Amino acid sequence: MTWVGGMCESTRTLTKLRTDSTATLKEIRDPDDEIFAEARAAGYLSRTQMVVNDVDRDLRNLDPSGVPAADRLLDAWLKKMKRVVPQLDEMSPSATFTEAERAAADIDKFVQSLTSPEPDLPALTKKNPQLAAAQQRAKQCAPDRKPAEEPDSPSPDPAPTGPLPKAADGKNTAACSDGECEVLITSAADITANGLSVHVTAGDHSVTFRTPSSIMNLGGQSGVAKFGETTCRRRCRVRAGTGRRGCATGPRRA
């Protein structure tokens, strides 16, 4: 049952990754903001590398099932992972900054190649009563299993409502010149702090910080972006009824 459960979990994770990859590539190819596309591509690469490496590790940790056909399926999976994992790991985040669409297309090509070898697990369970019985008992194989049921998956934070957070310096970005400020940004702004130029873009679900040499995209309700000797702290809330985000953000001395 452990082998079948692990195989179900890994293949289910890769199926979701392929679906998400298609949607992400579409967003990067048709972005609302070019800077957002670059940040999205960088995050896309990082998440994909992490998921694929986790699945590769989980598959390698599976002990032999004792069913020859099932073990051949695992071997075929491991061969696929062996081809894709090194290619993804060799991709540099810098490529997503200079050619976001091309880099995203390359990532998606690798992800879409991770389809199950044939015969896949459902086909094997139809022929082997032992595998079929294990599949029935393994909770990872339940057809209605949802991400929220995963024991290691944290519950998503509820969407915040109400007024945007109050910023000590309002919208006066000039207050950041000495490296100590807190300003409200609802769309985009250029901030200079201690000589460091940071372009900040507040989107519906994330905020992007870009300097002449780096870029960082933060999602969620709060976060910290670090650039050299400067730290940008961010706290966001959704404006009720609009979905627009406004962020109180300010470069501060690290």
Side-chain angles (χ1 to χ4, degrees):
M1 185 175 73
T2 300
W3 188 96
V4 173
M7 182 60 69
C8 280
E9 186 75 2
S10 294
T11 54
R12 184 181 62 84
T13 298
L14 291 177
T15 297
K16 184 177 186 303
L17 181 64
R18 293 197 303 272
T19 301
D20 292 346
S21 180
T22 299
T24 302
L25 178 58
K26 183 179 180 180
E27 292 176 358
I28 292 172
R29 281 177 166 167
D30 188 22
D32 294 330
D33 186 287
E34 195 67 30
I35 295 176
F36 174 78
E38 295 173 2
R40 181 79 169 174
Y44 172 43
L45 173 60
S46 177
R47 289 191 303 275
T48 301
Q49 289 172 329
M50 180 181 67
V51 172
V52 171
N53 275 283
D54 285 349
V55 170
D56 182 54
R57 179 202 62 217
D58 292 343
L59 288 172
R60 290 182 183 280
N61 286 338
L62 287 179
D63 293 326
S65 67
V67 179
D71 291 335
R72 286 195 293 272
L73 171 62
L74 176 58
D75 288 342
W77 261 123
L78 292 176
K79 289 178 181 178
K80 279 202 171 195
M81 302 302 291
K82 187 176 181 179
R83 289 194 297 268
V84 171
V85 170
Q87 295 182 86
L88 278 174
D89 286 346
E90 288 174 2
M91 294 189 69
S92 170
S94 61
T96 64
F97 301 151
T98 56
E99 296 185 53
E101 182 177 334
R102 180 176 178 180
D106 288 341
I107 298 167
D108 184 66
K109 178 183 67 176
F110 296 136
V111 170
Q112 299 305 332
S113 72
L114 293 174
T115 56
S116 181
E118 297 292 341
D120 59 9
L121 185 59
L124 294 180
T125 58
K126 291 180 180 179
K127 296 180 179 180
N128 188 291
Q130 181 182 345
L131 292 177
Q135 184 183 42
Q136 288 293 323
R137 296 194 302 271
K139 62 180 181 181
Q140 299 96 324
C141 300
D144 58 347
R145 179 173 167 84
K146 300 176 182 178
E149 296 173 349
E150 295 177 4
D152 295 329
S153 179
S155 299
D157 294 330
T161 59
L164 296 174
K166 184 178 180 180
D169 298 304
K171 296 185 177 182
N172 180 23
T173 57
C176 300
S177 60
D178 63 354
E180 191 79 26
C181 70
E182 185 178 81
V183 293
L184 177 66
I185 297 173
T186 56
S187 56
D190 291 306
I191 295 175
T192 300
N194 287 337
L196 177 68
S197 298
V198 182
H199 182 75
V200 185
T201 305
D204 288 347
H205 305 290
S206 64
V207 174
T208 300
F209 299 88
R210 181 172 184 170
T211 73
S213 60
S214 60
I215 186 170
M216 181 172 290
N217 181 260
L218 298 178
Q221 299 181 38
S222 62
V224 176
K226 294 184 177 181
F227 302 98
E229 297 297 323
T230 302
T231 298
C232 292
R233 304 182 186 278
R234 178 185 61 84
R235 51 190 177 90
C236 303
R237 297 190 70 180
V238 175
R239 188 184 298 276
T242 67
R244 289 289 303 280
R245 281 186 180 271
C247 290
T249 182
R252 298 181 183 278
R253 296 184 182 90

